[in-house]
Amino acid sequence: MVGCVYIPSARGFRLWRDWDPGAVAADLARVRAEGLEAVRFFVLWRDFEPAPGRYDERAFEHLRAFVEEAGRQRLLCLPAVLTVFVNGELLDLPWRAGRDLWRDAEMRERARAFAAAVAATLRGCDNVFAYDLGDELVHLDLGACERLGREEAERWQRELAAAIRAEHPGVPVLQGCDASAVFGAHPFGADNAAALDLIGVHSFPNWAPVPLDGVADPRASLLPGFLVRFARAFGRPLADELGSYGASAELSAGHLRAAGASALAAGAAGLFAWCWQDIADESAPYDRRPHEREAGLVDAAGRAKPGLGSCRGLVSLAGLLAGAKEAPAPIGVLVPDRKGAGARNYLAGEEASAAKAAFGAYVILTQEKLPVEFVLAPGAATRLLVCPDPARLSLSQARALEAFVGAGGHLWLTNSTPLAIDAIAGLTGAAPRDFTIDRSGRGRLRAGGEELALDWEACGRPPASPVWELRDAEPVARFEDGSAAIWTRQRGGGRVWTAQLPLELQPLSREAATRDARWGALYMEAAAAAGVAPVARCEAPWLQLQARERDGERRLLAINHAASAVTTTVELAGDGFELSLPAKDFSWLSR
């Protein structure tokens, strides 16, 4: 499905207290008339439970009336149940008094009881698509959240999900999280969602965890696809917030087109554009965050903005992708193991660094049109496994890599930190000697006749890197000083490539959107050795190509992430054709 986040323009977050059924009905009818299929909305907890254990029955009546009206308009609903943080502001319960939502016994019980009350109110409404436990709840108290253990976080989610399922059986449960669910150190990550049915991901370029050069940056619209594919390693993802701020209406619409297409193509169960309408209301949180009032698909007067057309196009794309099959990807990117990771310690930055390396690998592989999936371990279809940051490699994962290579698999290891030496040394064909902070003679590397400039600052870590001595390995790229930058060795039936530089972080540097460096050429050699070919070949680096099969025919989804139109020759299965796409647009081709 493709829908939008609904906040009424005139009343904002006063919706439940200042109820206007006529305005709600008119809004929902317009949403459906424009072709959208679903609405996500916020159940402001403080309006429904103004005192502990005392519910406002009128608010619950309004909630039921809202969902029933959406049903009459054939709209699916996704209520965010414990809404206390939204639009960057804390809309807190007056009686919480700073208590910990996740550890305080009374707060846990009140949350469980309230979630059950909401689900009981909506029991029998078959247009409730899913329940969101709460919008970006980690920001209620990020410090308390980061001190929470993974087991405590999972138990909390399991308690609330069970309460909802008991009252409204068969309806999926998720928790909507911003990009910190992948890049952050808190325990409500995509990798700790076993208690849930869906994994909610949010993506906005303004709050991206990597330095983006504006909404037009190609990496900005690639990010949602990465978040969705990453989450797919742990469950079924839903892009329940997608949008942008601080850009023209036309550029925001283009971002929504390309970002939405990348999320759907990556396997999202659906997406919700942020948001339905510009806000006329001036009460909290809009009094303190007025920029939040201009992010609608239609303006405050109801006139369509360019983003509405983008949503209509995404509705059509979702229908096409729903009946199309994607073959298992022969290239897997290994997901770092965060189990047992502490949040507040001197290694706390490793989780974010590992996720950035994974995103960089996704960018490079996408630029080279190579099919990719994120995996916890190599699967039956995996021919080439990319391990972009072994610093978080567990002992069991290291042994699994040895078995994979021994059975004929091909492995790419990027190691720019001395912390991972013990885990991977046996695979590399080299022995560690020491580590160094000296970068002299290592600003450039030469591979296959091409010279590439290296941005060590993109590493984002302390500057120490390992010094290796090659044993039974063959160099494939050298630094200026002649030392090996990348080497390879045969091991068993497989082959291992080792890079001692922050390769995957290069496309995430500040200059990456404009640099022409083909870092993917290094991957391409390993892919070719593993018998993996690109989906298609073309010279446009920011043109994403994905193959599908529908009705017995081969289809190609092309997404232009660049800020300008592209015209290029695409070579597919020995056939060449010219493809032209406007900036930030997509096309569904029969080939």
Side-chain angles (χ1 to χ4, degrees):
M1 81 195 72
V2 173
C4 64
V5 177
Y6 174 75
I7 304 169
S9 177
R11 285 164 176 76
F13 287 94
R14 296 181 293 110
L15 166 66
W16 309 112
R17 291 182 283 111
D18 189 8
W19 179 247
D20 186 341
V24 166
D27 283 349
L28 296 179
R30 174 77 185 280
V31 171
R32 186 56 182 156
E34 296 293 353
L36 302 185
E37 302 162 316
V39 288
R40 178 174 178 258
F41 60 91
F42 301 104
V43 182
L44 199 62
W45 190 0
R46 69 184 185 187
D47 289 349
F48 287 76
E49 190 174 0
R54 181 170 67 80
Y55 295 143
D56 186 326
E57 297 302 329
R58 291 176 305 168
F60 281 93
E61 290 169 4
H62 299 160
L63 173 62
R64 176 81 184 201
F66 179 95
V67 173
E68 288 179 342
E69 181 60 37
R72 283 189 285 273
Q73 300 298 337
R74 295 178 294 112
L75 286 169
L76 298 175
C77 286
L78 174 57
V81 177
L82 302 175
T83 298
V84 289
F85 177 90
V86 73
N87 287 118
E89 287 290 313
L90 191 60
L91 305 176
D92 207 352
L93 296 156
W95 46 267
R96 186 175 71 90
R99 286 178 294 172
D100 191 324
L101 177 65
W102 304 284
R103 281 178 166 164
D104 183 88
E106 183 183 3
M107 290 306 303
R108 283 175 53 192
E109 174 54 28
R110 293 269 42 88
R112 187 205 62 76
F114 180 67
V118 170
T121 299
L122 300 182
R123 186 192 302 124
C125 294
D126 58 8
N127 63 320
V128 176
F129 161 70
Y131 288 97
D132 177 357
L133 294 183
D135 184 59
E136 299 182 0
L137 275 171
V138 299
H139 299 295
L140 172 66
D141 186 340
L142 187 57
C145 177
E146 290 185 337
R147 290 190 294 271
L148 201 65
R150 288 174 59 90
E151 296 78 11
E152 291 176 300
E154 182 184 3
R155 181 182 63 191
W156 186 86
Q157 289 180 327
R158 194 173 298 281
E159 288 175 354
L160 266 70
I164 290 172
R165 293 174 186 134
E167 296 294 344
H168 203 163
V171 180
V173 180
L174 62 101
Q175 182 170 348
C177 284
D178 59 23
S180 67
V182 171
F183 291 90
H186 65 74
F188 290 104
D191 60 343
N192 196 32
L196 305 176
D197 306 293
L198 294 165
I199 301 174
V201 298
H202 300 174
S203 183
F204 295 87
N206 312 74
W207 297 284
V210 296
L212 298 179
D213 190 24
V215 174
D217 191 321
R219 297 164 299 175
S221 48
L222 275 168
L223 181 60
F226 163 74
L227 293 171
V228 168
R229 284 218 179 258
F230 190 98
R232 269 180 58 174
F234 304 97
R236 192 177 186 202
L238 177 77
D240 54 329
E241 280 189 20
L242 193 62
S244 60
Y245 290 84
S248 69
E250 291 75 19
L251 183 54
S252 294
H255 171 76
L256 181 59
R257 276 195 307 274
S262 75
L264 291 171
L271 69 86
F272 289 80
W274 185 277
C275 59
W276 166 242
Q277 190 171 14
D278 289 350
I279 303 297
D281 182 45
E282 297 182 1
S283 61
Y286 302 110
D287 56 342
R288 287 172 49 84
R289 301 181 67 81
H291 67 272
E292 294 281 2
R293 302 171 69 227
E294 307 295 329
L297 301 174
V298 300
D299 67 17
R303 295 181 293 260
K305 295 167 68 175
L308 188 57
S310 298
C311 274
R312 294 194 197 103
L314 292 170
V315 170
S316 299
L317 178 62
L320 293 169
L321 289 171
K325 295 180 180 178
E326 182 183 20
I331 298 179
V333 176
L334 192 68
V335 171
D337 183 3
R338 297 204 312 169
K339 293 179 180 177
R344 295 288 187 182
N345 59 53
Y346 61 95
L347 298 178
E350 287 186 14
E351 285 77 12
S353 181
K356 288 178 182 178
F359 180 42
Y362 178 78
V363 171
I364 294 173
L365 292 164
T366 300
Q367 286 183 321
E368 298 300 333
K369 326 307 179 203
L370 290 166
V372 57
E373 198 68 83
F374 289 90
V375 297
L376 302 175
T382 308
R383 298 183 200 169
L384 172 64
L385 185 66
V386 176
C387 184
D389 191 327
R392 290 298 303 166
L393 201 64
S394 67
L395 182 59
S396 62
Q397 283 183 312
R399 288 173 175 167
L401 297 188
E402 292 179 356
F404 171 70
V405 174
H410 290 66
L411 175 66
W412 180 283
L413 288 167
T414 297
N415 184 49
S416 58
T417 169
L419 296 178
I421 287 177
D422 290 340
I424 66 172
L427 288 163
T428 64
R433 180 164 55 87
D434 201 350
F435 65 85
T436 182
I437 61 172
D438 184 7
R439 296 286 183 258
S440 58
R442 293 190 172 194
R444 294 180 177 273
L445 67 152
R446 180 171 292 279
E450 185 175 1
E451 191 173 88
L452 299 171
L454 190 63
D455 181 7
W456 281 99
E457 297 302 318
C459 190
R461 291 197 190 98
S465 62
V467 177
W468 297 84
E469 292 180 350
L470 270 58
R471 298 288 174 84
D472 58 340
E474 173 188 352
V476 295
R478 293 186 180 276
F479 292 116
E480 295 169 283
D481 63 6
S483 62
I486 303 172
W487 59 89
T488 184
R489 72 177 296 217
Q490 191 78 28
R491 180 180 171 91
R495 181 168 285 275
V496 180
W497 284 260
T498 305
Q500 66 155 340
L501 63 149
L503 171 65
E504 288 79 13
L505 297 182
Q506 297 310 297
L508 306 186
S509 68
R510 289 184 177 89
E511 299 82 13
T514 56
R515 285 164 63 183
D516 296 325
R518 283 281 308 278
W519 294 103
L522 303 173
Y523 275 173
M524 288 292 278
E525 179 181 340
V532 179
V535 171
R537 297 180 187 273
C538 76
E539 294 301 317
W542 300 112
L543 182 66
Q544 182 180 6
L545 299 174
Q546 290 197 359
R548 294 289 193 277
E549 182 181 309
R550 183 183 170 108
D551 302 327
E553 293 184 357
R554 182 183 175 91
R555 308 293 177 113
L556 195 67
L557 174 62
I559 308 172
N560 180 18
H561 292 278
S564 57
V566 63
T567 297
T568 186
T569 298
V570 177
E571 296 180 12
L572 178 65
D575 178 32
F577 64 94
E578 188 174 274
L579 174 64
S580 294
L581 268 178
K584 299 287 183 179
D585 209 347
F586 60 85
S587 182
W588 178 258
L589 307 169
S590 178
R591 288 286 171 180

